[in-house]
Amino acid sequence: MSSSRARVIVMNSALGPLDYRVPHGMHVAPGSIVIAPLGPRQLLGVAWEAERLPTEEIGDNRLRNLLGVADAPPIPANLRRLIEWTADYYLAPMASVLRMALASTSALEGAKLAIEYRATGHVPDRLTPQRTQALERIGDRQGIIRELATIADVSDAVVRGLVKAGALEGVEVDIDHPYPLPNPGFGAPDLSPDQQAVAATACDAVDARAFQPFLLDGVTGSGKTEVYFEAVAAAIAAERQTLVLLPEIALTEPFLKRFHARFGCEPVAWHSDLRQSQRRRAWRAIASGQALVTVGARSALFLPYPNLGLIVVDEAHETSFKQEEGVHYHARDVAVMRGKFEGCPVILATATPAIETRQQVALGRYAELKLPGRYGVAQMPAIEAIDLLREPPDRGRWIAPRLIKAIDETLERGEQALLFLNRRGYAPLTLCRTCGHRFQCPHCTAWMVEHRLIRRLACHHCGHVIPTPRACPECGEEESLVACGPGVERIADEAMALWPNAKVAVVTSDTIWSPAKAAEFVNRMEAREIDIVVGTQLVTKGYHFPNLTLVGVIDADLGLAGGDLRAAERTFQQIMQVAGRAGRGEKPGHVYIQTHEPTAPVMEALVSGDAESFYAAETEARRDSDTPPFGRFAAIVVSSEDKDAALDTARALGRAAPRIDGMEVFGPAPAPLAMLRGRHRFRLLVHAKRAFDVQDAIRAWLGGVDWSAKVRVVVDVDPYNFL
């Protein structure tokens, strides 16, 4: 790159790299975050090595001047290599990947001061109930007016009134003030000999400062977190940064507590629930290297760490690490690549490793660290299957008699029970018993799900919501609507009817949508204010409740429907994880699995605890069918509000599909979800041999077909969702 011109990726996914003139006196190096003109607009962009991004050269006289350079550290070279790799592998525009690295645009301005408010101790003469509530809840906290209003659950006007009355005073704060530094020696744990051996290997890898992926494989409750915390401590001691990825933001709260107990302060959190000022502060602290430990959801993977010494992917089997919108990347796989570019170890921690990860261990690419048993006195729970054909629930009920008896005994002992059903709402289908009308989403090929708590019918794909009608819209009959099948709300109703004195809580993404809500749930469980939890897969992850001793899986067959290549594996993982919530303390745990197919291989493996033979059979089946990890898939989804336009494009792609040895193209066919958010969808599926360069083939293929602007063509490499 000559000093007078710069090649820039601007934040517009439709455009390739553009060249700009660097005005005299402005310093622009690869990685510099710049402000570039595009037509009448100004866009953020990042300067790149010209030789890595070939584009059509235009004369100096036609170049426009860059407008400025952001007052922020440049995007590091290792992260630029990761952005290139991600865009290339997942067939995504570089600007879309880069946007994740520049996730806080307010952080690109220089140091900032803000006015925050705190209590003065003065009590105003006029005290309304709302003012009293606000002063009580704010206590000694400090924040901007909007934040204090949220904490106090009052309007902004109430907080402003308290400022005017002298009960709150403004203080000037530097919103870039540094984070407290974690202390590696603060709460050092007492590890078992097994844990010590594994921790020593992980710490040596951190000290070696070389790329090495590890699978940290230990049963639920074996102390994986304590072990990888030792590797985090080694990175902190070496003044290098650590990134810990968690699959759900609701999990950050219990994790932050454990981290605080071990290191004396909280790590830097990064997730979608942060306020703008928090995002800005976190981004700048990470980019400057001041933030030593960051914990976050998958997007934290693309932040500009200048000095990364360790990456941990917790619950690494989780399918929520696969991004389904925008750039369709898998955070587990991209984390391994980031470790490779940064030259640091990557720890994938899980009790139920994905077959893809196990295969990498078998090939010798990942080293395996195994924790064989539960930590301390805790034992793995006993697992029993309940055959619903032999022991059916009473008519109109969903909980089998044997499970009811077990819950009776659990509650009598003063212990807690968990009922697991991976289905939100009250019932998955609502129909009219008079005319048979079914409520379908107007925008998606999906049934509307009844949510009785909020008296609504909702589509779980697009979010469309309608009030539950009194009368059938088809035949006009009143009180004729009937709920078919159970959701968690229906199971909770049944539990309340069976155990009227028990305190029942429903835990789903509808009730726990933020870290604060998760913290409230954890506190209520620990204070034993809940006797029975009824929850979806959200409750299978990472929680540790010593008094929870019984788990009942209401419909273990649910995940096996739908023809998904990973259905059996996912069902096994999910039920093993939910079983892992039982008996984590000194009290033994028990798990009951309600199933119509107790002889299915996945059910037999769960009951016998023989994970190895289940994985061996599942791996062999994948090898025979050339499916991942032995073959490759890519989905091409064509969608449009105009059905004919989508179909024409899908057919044109089908006709142009390459006939190459080692790669097959199936379709086009209507996608299983043939309509989503008002768009008609058709799908082509590419199946290729493992060693085949499927990206180049798809790039050349799609590059040779034109389609209308109203049609969207999305490529999903290594898809997890086949809808």
Side-chain angles (χ1 to χ4, degrees):
M1 188 186 298
S2 74
S3 56
S4 64
R5 60 191 290 155
R7 188 150 296 171
V8 175
I9 299 173
V10 290
M11 291 293 106
N12 181 327
S13 301
L15 297 173
L18 300 173
D19 283 354
Y20 287 91
R21 183 184 295 114
V22 179
H24 185 68
M26 184 187 289
H27 178 68
V28 175
S32 295
I33 301 167
V34 296
I35 298 115
L38 188 73
R41 294 177 301 148
Q42 297 182 8
L43 291 184
L44 270 181
V46 173
W48 221 264
E49 297 91 332
E51 66 278 7
R52 300 189 71 89
L53 292 181
T55 188
E56 190 187 338
E57 293 275 347
I58 61 168
D60 285 4
N61 58 338
R62 291 173 55 205
L63 296 181
R64 293 181 72 180
N65 277 354
L66 285 173
L67 302 174
V69 179
D71 177 17
I75 299 296
N78 293 339
L79 178 52
R80 297 201 299 277
R81 300 298 78 84
L82 182 80
I83 289 166
E84 290 168 358
W85 180 87
T86 305
D88 180 69
Y89 186 87
Y90 291 104
L91 295 167
M94 274 183 67
S96 301
V97 185
L98 185 57
R99 187 172 283 115
M100 297 189 283
L102 301 180
S104 173
T105 47
S106 67
L108 304 179
E109 303 146 21
K112 261 196 171 180
L113 295 173
I115 303 294
E116 293 190 336
Y117 295 86
R118 65 181 178 204
T120 57
H122 168 70
V123 178
D125 304 333
R126 201 172 67 80
L127 262 188
T128 63
Q130 285 206 301
R131 282 184 166 190
T132 307
Q133 176 181 318
L135 287 173
E136 273 176 12
R137 292 202 182 174
I138 290 167
D140 56 3
R141 293 185 184 177
Q142 181 174 309
I144 61 173
I145 284 178
R146 179 85 284 268
E147 287 158 22
L148 294 182
T150 305
I151 289 164
D153 201 15
V154 296
S155 70
D156 291 11
V158 172
V159 178
R160 286 203 182 91
L162 288 169
V163 174
K164 223 174 241 172
L168 297 174
E169 64 180 354
V171 282
E172 205 172 68
V173 293
D174 168 13
I175 61 174
D176 286 343
H177 57 287
Y179 286 92
L181 292 176
N183 172 2
F186 180 79
D190 188 13
L191 297 180
S192 70
D194 282 337
Q195 288 176 315
Q196 269 172 337
V198 169
T201 306
C203 292
D204 289 348
V206 171
D207 294 340
R209 300 190 172 211
F211 171 58
Q212 171 63 63
F214 290 102
L215 166 60
L216 176 54
D217 181 2
V219 296
T220 50
S222 58
K224 292 183 290 295
T225 309
E226 285 72 19
V227 164
Y228 74 65
F229 272 179
E230 294 310 290
V232 174
I236 295 168
E239 297 183 353
R240 302 190 77 205
Q241 292 173 294
T242 295
L243 164 64
V244 181
L245 290 180
L246 298 176
E248 301 270 354
I249 66 162
L251 277 183
T252 50
E253 202 58 39
F255 179 89
L256 297 181
K257 267 189 173 171
R258 291 175 79 174
F259 190 93
H260 194 288
R262 172 65 182 84
F263 295 107
C265 70
E266 294 203 342
V268 176
W270 182 272
H271 50 71
S272 56
D273 213 42
L274 294 182
R275 304 189 305 272
Q276 184 180 330
S277 59
Q278 293 172 313
R279 282 179 96 74
R280 174 202 158 81
R281 181 184 173 207
W283 193 94
R284 286 188 77 87
I286 286 164
S288 68
Q290 191 268 320
L292 283 183
V293 183
T294 304
V295 57
R298 52 182 180 239
S299 58
L301 190 51
F302 289 95
L303 295 175
Y305 311 92
N307 185 19
L308 208 48
L310 173 66
I311 301 172
V312 178
V313 183
D314 205 349
E315 308 286 354
H317 63 281
E318 267 296 329
T319 51
S320 48
F321 279 126
K322 172 76 174 176
Q323 169 97 358
E324 298 290 358
E325 301 279 318
V327 182
H328 288 248
Y329 69 95
H330 198 305
R332 176 197 66 210
D333 301 343
V334 179
V336 172
M337 289 309 294
R338 177 126 206 202
K340 186 173 182 178
F341 288 122
E342 300 285 350
C344 74
V346 181
I347 297 174
L348 308 179
T350 170
T352 53
I355 287 175
E356 286 83 345
T357 307
R358 293 173 71 101
Q359 181 60 14
Q360 294 288 0
V361 171
L363 293 171
R365 291 181 186 148
Y366 294 5
E368 187 173 34
L369 303 173
K370 247 185 152 41
L371 288 172
R374 278 200 160 172
Y375 181 67
V377 293
Q379 294 297 311
M380 289 304 287
I383 301 180
E384 286 181 43
I386 296 175
D387 183 345
L388 291 174
L389 299 176
R390 290 185 173 183
E391 303 177 59
D394 293 346
R395 189 175 168 79
R397 289 256 165 97
W398 307 95
I399 306 173
R402 191 170 6 144
L403 180 52
I404 291 174
K405 184 168 177 285
I407 294 173
D408 285 338
E409 291 165 1
T410 302
L411 297 179
E412 274 168 27
R413 291 194 302 268
E415 294 164 8
Q416 294 162 311
L418 160 65
L419 295 173
F420 169 72
L421 176 67
N422 204 20
R423 197 185 254 150
R424 285 157 48 208
Y426 184 83
L429 173 65
T430 300
L431 51 79
C432 170
R433 66 160 67 88
T434 307
C435 72
H437 172 74
R438 296 175 174 202
F439 285 84
Q440 186 171 345
C441 174
H443 311 299
C444 306
T445 315
W447 306 120
M448 299 287 280
V449 177
E450 183 180 2
H451 285 248
R452 213 159 268 194
L453 296 178
I454 56 169
R455 298 189 180 82
R456 295 283 188 275
L457 293 173
C459 171
H460 287 174
H461 295 284
C462 72
H464 178 70
V465 173
I466 56 169
T468 308
R470 277 182 60 87
C472 170
E474 191 75 25
C475 69
E477 190 72 33
E478 290 215 4
E479 308 297 335
S480 70
L481 302 185
V482 58
C484 300
V488 282
E489 290 177 14
R490 191 171 202 166
I491 301 302
D493 273 6
E494 187 174 329
M496 287 184 239
L498 285 166
W499 298 282
N501 298 325
K503 297 182 284 284
V504 177
V506 176
V507 176
T508 73
S509 54
D510 297 319
T511 60
I512 294 197
W513 63 83
S514 70
K517 283 280 180 193
E520 186 190 315
F521 163 61
V522 170
N523 292 338
R524 287 179 62 209
M525 278 296 281
E526 288 174 350
R528 301 197 185 180
E529 290 169 18
I530 298 171
D531 300 309
I532 301 172
V533 183
V534 184
T536 60
Q537 50 99 24
L538 194 68
V539 85
T540 66
K541 298 166 188 168
Y543 290 113
H544 176 80
F545 302 123
N547 201 45
L548 177 69
T549 58
L550 181 82
V551 169
V553 179
I554 299 299
D555 183 354
D557 312 322
L558 188 60
L560 291 171
D564 178 354
L565 121 93
R566 297 181 177 86
E569 179 190 13
R570 202 174 291 174
T571 299
F572 182 80
Q573 289 169 337
Q574 216 164 52
I575 295 177
M576 278 305 281
Q577 290 287 337
V578 77
R581 299 311 113 209
R584 292 175 72 99
E586 294 181 6
K587 300 167 183 172
H590 216 106
V591 179
Y592 291 90
I593 300 174
Q594 297 191 166
T595 172
H596 290 92
E597 295 183 64
T599 57
V602 60
M603 299 306 159
E604 289 186 332
L606 285 162
V607 172
S608 68
D610 188 358
E612 283 312 312
S613 63
F614 168 73
Y615 273 121
E618 195 66 15
T619 305
E620 211 40 55
R622 300 259 191 105
R623 196 190 302 271
D624 290 346
S625 58
D626 262 348
T627 46
F630 305 102
R632 308 186 62 189
F633 281 125
I636 298 169
V637 177
V638 180
S639 69
S640 175
E641 289 175 10
D642 177 341
K643 186 175 182 179
D644 291 338
L647 181 56
D648 289 347
T649 302
R651 283 178 173 160
L653 285 171
R655 285 193 297 273
R659 312 274 184 269
I660 315 174
D661 205 26
M663 170 174 146
E664 294 174 282
V665 179
F666 301 99
L673 262 175
M675 194 173 182
L676 183 63
R677 301 187 188 100
R679 298 180 72 85
H680 298 273
R681 303 167 77 243
F682 294 88
R683 194 181 65 172
L684 298 102
L685 190 64
V686 176
H687 181 204
K689 295 245 184 294
R690 180 83 232 158
F692 187 80
D693 187 346
V694 79
Q695 285 86 351
D696 269 5
I698 293 174
R699 222 178 263 116
W701 168 21
L702 299 189
V705 180
D706 291 324
W707 54 81
S708 135
K710 58 187 175 184
V711 174
R712 192 184 300 151
V713 177
V714 174
V715 182
D716 185 359
V717 176
D718 304 338
Y720 267 60
N721 179 349
F722 287 85
L723 296 177

